[in-house]
Amino acid sequence: MPKSKDSIMSKIYQETKEEKRGSVEFQVFCFTNKIERLTSHLELHKTDYSSQRGLRKILGKRKRILAYLSKKDRVRYKELISQLNIREKKKKEKKT
């Protein structure tokens, strides 16, 4: 039985009180929260282009951090994306 997203986030947040705020997991957790907030905001305000730009910037930052983690520690990467319900990027297939 998978754990709920709130319990996982509270676990990550509790760990941050022990000075782990610079960890990759905490950064991805914060970016994911911001992304969720901005997405819900943009559902109401479809023409808010400043927020759209901010959302794209945060998505890019999270993507780069996840790419770094994927290269350095594949196990932690898999755990994190499963805990936060983030889809894994698909690798492009080469055409022959």
Side-chain angles (χ1 to χ4, degrees), residues 2-6 8-9 32 36 62 79-88:
K3 295 180 181 178
S4 71
K5 192 171 184 178
D6 293 331
I8 294 166
M9 288 184 179
T32 302
E36 289 173 356
R62 185 178 76 174
E79 279 181 17
L80 185 62
I81 62 170
S82 66
Q83 287 176 348
L84 295 177
N85 295 327
I86 301 173
R87 289 184 288 173
E88 186 173 2

Side-chain angles (χ1 to χ4, degrees), residues 1-56:
M1 184 167 84
K3 295 180 181 178
S4 71
K5 192 171 184 178
D6 293 331
S7 67
I8 294 166
M9 288 184 179
S10 65
K11 177 186 168 199
I12 292 173
Y13 188 73
Q14 290 297 325
E15 290 175 357
T16 60
K17 290 186 177 182
E18 300 164 2
E19 296 302 319
K20 293 187 179 181
R21 293 182 183 207
S23 71
V24 174
E25 288 87 354
F26 182 73
Q27 290 179 32
V28 172
F29 166 72
C30 287
F31 286 142
T32 302
N33 283 342
K34 286 182 183 180
I35 289 167
E36 289 173 356
R37 261 195 342 259
L38 280 172
T39 302
S40 65
H41 169 78
L42 287 170
E43 288 173 356
L44 296 173
H45 308 282
K46 296 182 190 312
T47 58
D48 187 354
Y49 300 114
S50 298
S51 293
Q52 288 178 11
R53 180 173 184 260
L55 177 62
R56 286 192 299 268

